[in-house]
Amino acid sequence: MLALFSICAAAQQTVTVSMAEYKYVPAEVRIKAGDTVKWVNNERRTSHSVLFPAENSLESTRMFPGESWERRFPVPGRYEYTCGPHPEMMGVIHVE
């Protein structure tokens, strides 16, 4: 049973999305259910967040340059997001 858990845990991945020049890079990501997305603020002076309007405006903490935030996606679906302070920044996570 423990071996089965180890195999499942090893199959999960973390995908990184950079925040730079007021954009999410890449803006669109495809992952498997159970994977994690890690957003990293690579700006020089600006703070950002990750805001999911369709999920009661679930929002990350404000990330300053060099900081990051992670979210695991256990349920398949399409997750659109923006930056709280910069709504022109848009991204989408496709969970299969």
Side-chain angles (χ1 to χ4, degrees):
M1 184 79 94
L2 183 57
L4 180 60
F5 175 77
S6 296
I7 291 170
C8 291
Q12 295 176 350
Q13 296 183 33
T14 298
V15 175
T16 300
V17 174
S18 174
M19 292 177 256
E21 299 179 10
Y22 293 88
K23 295 177 189 167
Y24 292 111
V25 181
E28 196 164 337
V29 174
R30 290 190 180 280
I31 62 173
K32 296 192 181 302
D35 287 352
T36 298
V37 176
K38 178 180 181 178
W39 288 267
V40 180
N41 184 345
N42 290 310
E43 298 280 9
R44 299 186 98 184
R45 296 181 179 90
T46 303
S47 65
H48 295 294
S49 69
V50 180
L51 172 69
F52 296 90
E55 295 179 72
N56 294 321
S57 295
L58 170 70
E59 187 172 10
S60 71
T61 57
R62 188 71 70 93
M63 290 169 274
F64 291 90
E67 295 181 332
S68 65
W69 181 76
E70 296 182 14
R71 178 179 174 190
R72 186 173 169 269
F73 291 86
V75 179
R78 178 182 168 95
Y79 298 83
E80 295 182 10
Y81 63 93
T82 65
C83 175
H86 310 104
E88 67 277 9
M89 293 174 63
M90 294 181 280
V92 62
I93 307 296
H94 300 277
V95 182
E96 301 170 343

